[in-house]
Each structure stands twice: as C-alpha cells, then as structure tokens.
Amino acid sequence: MRTLNTPELIICKNEKEIAELVAKEFTRTMKNKSKSVLGLATGSSPLSTYKELIKLYKTKKISFKNVKTFNLDEYLDLHPNYANQSYYIFMRDNLFSKIDINMDNVHFPPVNVTPLKPASIYDKQIKNAGGIDLQLLGLGVNGHIAFNEPGTSFSSLTHVTRIADETIKSNARFFNGTQALVPRKAVTMGIKTILASRKIVLIAMGKEKARALAEIFKYKLNKKFPCTSLLLHPNVVIYADQEAASYIKVSESKK
Ligand code: GLP
C-alpha cells in the first residue's frame, strides 16, 4: 500500500483572492531561488494569477530574468483557423510578452514527436534544468490534470494523448463553441512528470470542477480521476473557490 498525503486545501472567497495567493506562491519560490524552474498551465484558471504576476513584475517586486519555464501541454493538429488557440500563443499573449523572461528559457512539450524523438525527451529536459520547483495546475471537469485524461497511468511520462470527449465538449468554448474544431490529440507532461515537481499548486474554480475536486478528498487513488494522483505527492496546495469546494464532505477534508 502506498502512503497517501493530505493536500492543503485553501478555500478562497473569489478569483482575485486565489490569484493573489497563488502569485505569492510564485514570489516565494522565485525569492528563494532566482534561477527557479516553473511549471506553467493554460486555461482560464491561471489567467488572473498571470495578471497578478505581471503586476508584480511591473512594480519591480519580481523578475523572471533567470527563470526557466516548462508548460504542461500543447494541442496537436490545431485547425489552421484556430492556430491562435495554441498554448504557446496563450502563454506568449497572457504572460511571456509582458514580463522580462528570456524566451530561450521557455519550454513546451515537443509537437514533432517521432520514435527517434519521443515526447519523453521533455522529461530529460526538465531533469537537466534541475527539476520543477513549482508546478501550477488547473483541473479538468473530468478530473484531468494537464491532458492526462481518465485512465492515464500514474507512472506516465510526457506522451501524446487522445483528448477525452468530455474535455472536447468543455474546451469547445475556445473554438467558437464547435466541438468538431477542437483538436483530438495533444502532447502532455505525464502524471509521473508532474509528480516529480517539488511543489504543486492546483487552482479549481466554479461548480463544474466540484465533482473532480471532491474525488481527491475521498483519499483513494482512482485512475478514472487523474487528479487523485496528487495524493501521492507530499507538497500539494489546492486553492479553490467555494463553488469548486462545495462537494467536499467536511469529514473527508480531514480539516
Ligand atoms: C485544459 C488543459 C488543462 C487545464 C484544464 C482546465 O484542457 N489541458 O491544463 O487545466 O483544461 O481549464 P480551465 O482552467 O479553462 O477550466
């Protein structure tokens, strides 16, 4: 039997509070180590945190000059009319172009995967950079983390994956509401890759995340909910709003 950990759960009153507290997590990490290695996420959940980080940079409270970043995932075979939905462009527009990061220090999982160049070379790159100090995560409605969909092995490294139907439905909001335009495949850090980070911070906001978030607090590893793999990590902090935390039973939250 593997020992399971208790993630720290911080229930916040709104998105602004989440963003401020998560930005503080980043600030702490970067102050401790100016050459920090940061794991970054896309989606709507981290957006206000990135705005907060930009604010901190502009007021000279933090600098990204010596920081390296590794993003969680990237779509494959994006529809040409929706090339601007790539996670690289998302990161460029919402963070990288607004801070002092050296773009040579920005990393994404490889999209040109071949047998000679497997996606898992990304794991080697992360290791060579010294490992991820702080990994930011959002949460899929079906409990996915990055693009590790239900059923993904908890010992997976970076790999190419098929996007689950429930995720396609949820992400259609970024593709003019049309599910047919959402890519079917992505390349994603694996669960083992994510769990190798020194600290993990997960953001969960809104009622649609409540079912997945509550699964973590059942304290059982469940491959149908990849987010339960976080119980294997000793240093996880979850920032949730009240809606996302609303299905967690008090007895289950070990409060
Ligand atoms: C996407 C991404 C995840 C992200 C999740 C939640 O499919 N692959 O990394 O965390 O969905 O997105 P959002 O924060 O927009 O709800």
Side-chain angles (χ1 to χ4, degrees), residues 41-46 72-73 75 87 137-141 144-149 163 167 170-171 173-174 188 203 205 208-209:
T42 50
S44 43
S45 305
L72 283 171
D73 46 12
Y75 283 125
Y87 286 165
L137 292 180
L139 181 63
V141 285
H144 75 219
I145 46 174
F147 267 128
N148 292 286
E149 297 286 19
I163 301 178
T167 307
S170 165
N171 288 5
R173 65 200 144 118
F174 302 113
T188 179
I203 299 177
M205 294 189 300
E208 42 321 329
K209 305 294 173 74

Side-chain angles (χ1 to χ4, degrees), residues 59-77:
T59 51
K60 298 198 168 37
K61 304 249 172 34
I62 49 172
S63 165
F64 294 82
K65 235 181 207 139
N66 299 311
V67 161
K68 286 189 180 153
T69 66
F70 287 86
N71 259 80
L72 283 171
D73 46 12
E74 181 57 285
Y75 283 125
L76 292 178
D77 310 327

Side-chain angles (χ1 to χ4, degrees), residues 53-223:
L53 290 176
I54 294 163
K55 227 198 281 171
L56 291 169
Y57 158 69
K58 286 198 169 145
T59 51
K60 298 198 168 37
K61 304 249 172 34
I62 49 172
S63 165
F64 294 82
K65 235 181 207 139
N66 299 311
V67 161
K68 286 189 180 153
T69 66
F70 287 86
N71 259 80
L72 283 171
D73 46 12
E74 181 57 285
Y75 283 125
L76 292 178
D77 310 327
L78 262 168
H79 188 287
N81 294 351
Y82 286 86
N84 63 347
Q85 284 304 326
S86 89
Y87 286 165
Y88 176 82
I89 291 185
F90 175 99
M91 290 305 302
R92 187 197 65 191
D93 293 353
N94 291 298
L95 184 66
F96 298 147
S97 64
K98 299 180 168 135
I99 56 174
D100 61 344
I101 197 156
N102 173 352
M103 287 306 280
D104 292 341
N105 289 338
V106 163
H107 303 85
F108 276 77
V111 288
N112 48 350
V113 175
T114 65
L116 281 177
K117 196 183 168 208
S120 59
I121 61 160
Y122 198 50
D123 289 69
K124 293 201 184 97
Q125 270 181 288
I126 295 171
K127 225 184 206 160
N128 291 342
I132 292 173
D133 294 302
L134 182 67
Q135 176 64 60
L136 181 60
L137 292 180
L139 181 63
V141 285
N142 59 357
H144 75 219
I145 46 174
F147 267 128
N148 292 286
E149 297 286 19
T152 306
S153 160
F154 287 4
S155 52
S156 52
L157 298 176
T158 306
H159 62 285
V160 172
T161 181
R162 283 204 84 75
I163 301 178
D165 291 346
E166 206 173 349
T167 307
I168 289 174
K169 214 161 144 192
S170 165
N171 288 5
R173 65 200 144 118
F174 302 113
F175 294 84
N176 200 24
T178 311
Q179 288 183 40
L181 293 171
V182 182
R184 266 43 190 168
K185 288 203 288 183
V187 57
T188 179
M189 275 190 202
I191 292 180
K192 195 172 176 187
T193 320
I194 292 169
L195 294 181
S197 315
R198 291 187 187 89
K199 182 168 189 179
I200 298 174
V201 167
L202 179 133
I203 299 177
M205 294 189 300
K207 195 98 194 165
E208 42 321 329
K209 305 294 173 74
R211 176 181 62 123
L213 190 60
E215 281 300 321
I216 299 178
F217 292 95
K218 289 183 180 169
Y219 292 100
K220 256 195 214 131
L221 297 179
N222 180 353
K223 269 172 68 177

